Amino acid sequence: MNTTTGQGPAAGWTIREAGPEDWPGIWAILEPVVRSGETFTWDRDTAEDEARARWFKQAPGRTFVAVASDTGAILGTGELHANQGGGGSHVANAGYMVHPAQAGRGLARALCAYSLDAARDAGFRAMQFNAVVESNVRAVAAWKSMGFEVLATIPEAFNHPELGYVGLHVMYRKL
């Protein structure tokens, strides 16, 4: 799997494997998302070098980017890896971040679709999201529309900077 061309009302992007040269564009997306503390469980003060080490995955994991077809700008990014080791290594896990200016264009769904295909190609049998913030209603709706179901919600497991303690969904789907 090399690339996927974006489809939709204002398509114009390609999804491909990320390389080291993509890090500045990836960090430009990750940093504000991490600092806001609203949708990811990372520490809000995560250093850039730590973020890079966490985001770039080793095979069978992957890191990928959605790139504007006309400018080459990185519009969104995702990562895929085994959810657990050993006997649980057949279930994938993934995360996605989209530049806020690109919200609503279908990029998160496209990144998810890309990761589902990549996970299937790598031999994973299912995908599980361990910590989908329940107040992130757009993401929850997107993942449900792609076949994920909420298996459980851990009450007050996420301390949202504006809303206080909210639940974290565990979401799952077979591949």
Side-chain angles (χ1 to χ4, degrees):
M1 167 179 295
N2 293 337
T3 62
T4 300
T5 302
Q7 304 295 319
W13 66 77
T14 301
I15 299 176
R16 61 166 172 77
E17 299 292 325
E21 69 282 0
D22 295 317
W23 177 249
I26 293 171
W27 181 238
I29 294 168
L30 265 64
E31 185 178 26
V33 171
V34 170
R35 301 284 181 255
S36 77
E38 295 178 357
T39 58
F40 264 69
T41 59
W42 292 16
D43 289 333
R44 292 173 75 179
D45 61 352
T46 299
E48 182 178 358
D49 58 339
E50 180 186 348
R52 184 180 182 143
R54 287 181 73 178
W55 199 253
F56 275 95
K57 303 299 183 187
Q58 299 296 321
R62 296 183 178 175
T63 304
F64 41 96
V65 289
V67 180
S69 300
D70 56 352
T71 65
I74 295 175
L75 309 174
T77 182
E79 56 82 18
L80 163 71
H81 60 280
N83 191 50
Q84 301 291 332
S89 63
H90 61 283
V91 177
N93 183 282
Y96 323 98
M97 293 190 201
V98 173
H99 191 285
Q102 303 301 320
R105 293 184 57 202
L107 276 162
R109 286 178 51 85
L111 289 164
C112 182
Y114 181 92
S115 73
L116 292 170
D117 288 343
R120 202 174 292 108
D121 290 349
F124 290 105
R125 296 175 46 112
M127 186 171 293
Q128 176 178 320
F129 298 150
N130 299 322
V132 181
V133 179
E134 73 178 338
S135 59
N136 190 356
V137 294
R138 288 178 69 176
V140 172
W143 309 152
K144 283 182 175 180
S145 76
M146 297 191 73
F148 285 85
E149 61 181 301
V150 175
L151 297 181
T153 302
I154 298 93
E156 298 186 352
F158 185 80
N159 189 5
H160 190 283
E162 301 293 325
L163 304 174
Y165 293 101
V166 299
L168 283 178
H169 294 315
V170 176
M171 299 184 79
Y172 170 88
R173 70 160 279 179
K174 287 186 176 183
L175 297 178

